[in-house]
Amino acid sequence: NAGVTQTPKFQVLKTGQSMTLQCAQDMNHEYMSWYRQDPGMGLRLIHYSVGAGITDQGEVPNGYNVSRSTTEDFPLRLLSAAPSQTSVYFCASIPRSGRAEAFFGQGTRLTVV
Amino acid sequence: GIQVEQSPPDLILQEGANSTLRCNFSDSVNNLQWFHQNPWGQLINLFYIPSGTKQNGRLSATTVATERYSLLYISSSQTTDSGVYFCAALNSGGSNYKLTFGKGTLLTVNP
């Protein structure tokens, strides 16, 4: 049972490049989400999904796209990276009831130069 | 949405001291968790505690849901306890599954 798996762990991008951060969970959780962590800001919600085919915006969605074609996977896409997107990204999953523990991936440290 | 506030923002202890971290939240919750972010950036689940009291070794947590706060107790602190402690809450009701984080408490335990 791997829990929540994020890849890659580290990435350096040039301004304007695109990339996809991968997130997969094997706990059959309906709810998945992406957060970014910046110094002094805690974790802020980017996008979330309550099930396959359903996504919605969080607190800081601009510059990011998501899709949810399966229960297991929730990729985060940066279409044109900007230096302001330099951050640490975390993926999380929770059972649909919300009345249970959330599990987080190990994080992706992204630097945009 | 729900607001989550943590205090203190920073805390410096000598090894062996005890401490209490506080988390206030603005609405009823059905998920309240404490996390420890270690120096390598990993988020470690400490407690899932929407109400009541739990203990795990030197750490314990209490949530008083009716008064909208949670406390994390660290006893006999060790240098390995250093890092950032986050509280996160998920609001009850509807289809709102947004887990909201506080800004964290940075704990430094000196030898």
Side-chain angles (χ1 to χ4, degrees):
Chain A
N1 189 344
V4 180
T5 303
Q6 281 183 243
T7 55
K9 288 188 170 57
F10 302 95
Q11 183 71 48
V12 179
L13 288 179
K14 293 183 179 178
T15 297
Q17 285 185 315
S18 63
M19 79 161 295
T20 299
L21 280 63
Q22 301 291 345
C23 177
Q25 53 94 6
D26 61 0
M27 297 171 284
N28 204 31
H29 286 171
E30 293 85 354
Y31 177 62
M32 297 183 73
S33 53
W34 278 101
Y35 293 82
R36 60 176 288 172
Q37 184 181 19
D38 303 296
M41 301 293 290
L43 277 75
R44 293 181 294 169
L45 184 64
I46 304 171
H47 284 286
Y48 66 99
S49 169
V50 298
I54 306 170
T55 64
D56 206 347
Q57 297 181 347
E59 183 184 354
V60 287
N62 292 341
Y64 307 95
N65 271 355
V66 293
S67 60
R68 184 98 178 268
S69 56
T70 67
T71 299
E72 294 78 19
D73 300 298
F74 190 44
L76 179 72
R77 280 182 281 276
L78 285 71
L79 297 178
S80 179
S84 60
Q85 294 178 304
T86 294
S87 188
V88 180
Y89 292 84
F90 288 95
C91 177
S93 74
I94 310 175
R96 182 167 180 83
S97 69
R99 298 178 185 274
E101 190 175 1
F103 290 86
F104 281 77
Q106 292 197 325
T108 296
R109 187 173 296 273
L110 175 67
T111 302
V112 183
V113 298
Chain B
I2 192 170
Q3 307 296 315
V4 178
E5 294 185 354
Q6 291 185 244
S7 60
D10 302 277
L11 186 58
I12 300 175
L13 301 175
Q14 285 300 121
E15 200 167 25
N18 302 329
S19 63
T20 301
L21 282 57
R22 186 176 179 104
C23 172
N24 292 332
F25 42 93
S26 62
D27 206 340
S28 57
V29 297
N30 57 9
N31 182 325
L32 191 291
Q33 287 185 245
W34 284 96
F35 296 89
H36 175 217
Q37 188 167 42
N38 62 24
W40 295 271
Q42 282 183 290
L43 281 171
I44 310 298
N45 286 0
L46 296 177
F47 294 102
Y48 166 74
I49 187 163
S51 63
T53 297
K54 291 186 178 179
Q55 181 156 7
N56 185 0
R58 296 180 296 103
L59 273 61
S60 64
T62 295
T63 297
V64 183
T66 52
E67 298 186 22
R68 299 183 182 168
Y69 73 88
S70 183
L71 302 174
L72 178 69
Y73 305 96
I74 304 174
S75 64
S76 304
S77 58
Q78 300 176 357
T79 56
T80 51
D81 294 330
S82 295
V84 183
Y85 289 80
F86 288 105
C87 166
L90 191 154
N91 191 225
S92 301
S95 60
N96 182 353
Y97 293 91
K98 299 179 183 179
L99 189 65
T100 300
F101 280 76
K103 293 189 177 180
T105 293
L106 175 60
L107 176 65
T108 303
V109 182
N110 292 321

